[in-house]
Amino acid sequence: MTDAALSELEAVSVPGSKSEQAYQAVKARIVAGTYTPGYRLVLNTIAKDLGVSVVPVREAIRRLEAEGLVTFERNVGATVSGIDPTEYLYTMQTLSIVEGAATAMSAPLIGAADIDRARAVNEEMRECLEHFDPVRFTQLNRDFHSVLFEHCPNPHILDLVHRGWNRLASLRSSTFRFVPGRARASVDEHEELLRLIETGAEADDIEKAARLHRSATLDAYLSQAQNS
């Protein structure tokens, strides 16, 4: 993401308290890669940069720690969480299961308007491939999948899905940078998921397709990591 795009993102008025605004701003910088893994988050510096006091920044950092995006180290302070290959593996494996289930459970509740919205997002993703922006692609990817799992009637499963996505937020942008070739296949698989839902496919088939879609990204990442 360019500096101009990031500035535009942060300039958008965020409703709520200064703590919420600080949270959104710092999280955006982590996701965009401006604050890279291991980057030390100095509260006074961030507060001055955002034009707020230290208190809302401290509250924002605590929220990000709870989401796994920030780590507190003794004698160091708050730093952006690093990319742990084992943690990535476990998170993706878990997400493939719970998101697959959530998508299958949502399918009967997904209407034509939802399908249109998801397909429009997927077309944006396809256009994004021409001048590939992994951060933009990642955000669109989450938007797409949110349409498919947001109607899940089981709140516990839905909570697990959101937790998985939040855990991946700090490293998802680097995932498609690492395996950019996976992005094009991902868009095609999205269309297949929409086709299954549109045609009223069996829940097991939808869940399997959703799980394989997630697993394929994990496999591509692991394969590239082993060969690098």
Side-chain angles (χ1 to χ4, degrees):
M1 180 177 289
T2 64
D3 291 340
L6 182 59
S7 296
E8 182 180 348
L9 174 63
E10 293 175 350
V12 174
S13 177
V14 179
S17 66
K18 289 184 178 180
S19 174
E20 176 66 20
Q21 294 175 34
Y23 165 79
Q24 294 292 350
V26 175
K27 185 172 183 177
R29 294 179 183 188
I30 292 175
V31 173
T34 303
Y35 293 162
T36 57
Y39 181 89
R40 187 181 176 194
L41 299 167
V42 181
L43 272 59
N44 286 328
T45 302
I46 296 174
K48 183 178 180 180
D49 188 33
L50 297 179
V52 298
S53 69
V54 171
V55 174
V57 175
R58 182 181 293 113
E59 293 173 353
I61 296 301
R62 285 174 179 167
R63 285 180 63 184
L64 292 166
E65 181 190 18
E67 292 179 9
L69 302 184
V70 169
T71 302
F72 272 98
E73 299 180 38
R74 185 181 297 276
N75 300 322
V76 176
T79 60
V80 177
S81 299
I83 300 174
D84 182 337
T86 301
E87 181 68 16
Y88 179 79
L89 169 64
Y90 293 159
T91 301
M92 286 289 280
Q93 286 178 334
T94 302
L95 193 54
S96 72
I97 295 171
V98 295
E99 188 177 15
T103 301
M105 294 175 72
S106 291
L109 305 174
I110 294 176
D114 298 313
I115 292 291
D116 289 343
R117 180 156 57 100
R119 184 162 281 129
V121 173
N122 202 41
E123 285 306 308
E124 286 189 64
M125 294 179 72
R126 196 179 300 279
E127 292 172 4
C128 188
L129 294 172
E130 300 305 316
H131 301 285
F132 193 54
D133 178 348
V135 175
R136 172 65 175 160
F137 188 88
T138 295
Q139 181 57 57
L140 289 170
N141 187 52
R142 180 164 187 165
D143 292 345
F144 173 86
H145 284 286
S146 292
V147 177
L148 302 193
F149 65 65
E150 66 185 5
H151 293 301
C152 177
N154 186 318
H156 297 289
I157 291 178
L158 193 57
D159 179 62
L160 290 173
V161 174
H162 285 300
R163 285 173 180 268
W165 273 96
N166 287 336
R167 183 66 191 92
L168 290 175
S170 63
L171 48 103
R172 285 291 292 175
S173 61
S174 66
T175 302
F176 284 113
R177 282 196 182 99
F178 201 54
V179 285
R182 172 66 194 142
R184 189 172 297 278
S186 183
V187 171
D188 292 337
E189 290 164 14
H190 285 175
E191 184 56 40
E192 174 60 15
L193 272 171
L194 291 177
R195 187 192 68 78
L196 288 172
I197 294 171
E198 273 186 310
T199 58
E202 295 291 332
D204 287 347
D205 292 333
I206 294 172
E207 181 172 354
K208 181 179 179 180
R211 289 181 63 174
L212 288 176
H213 171 64
R214 175 71 55 195
S215 298
T217 298
L218 172 61
D219 291 344
Y221 180 87
L222 294 177
S223 177
Q224 184 66 28
Q226 291 171 358
N227 295 327
S228 60

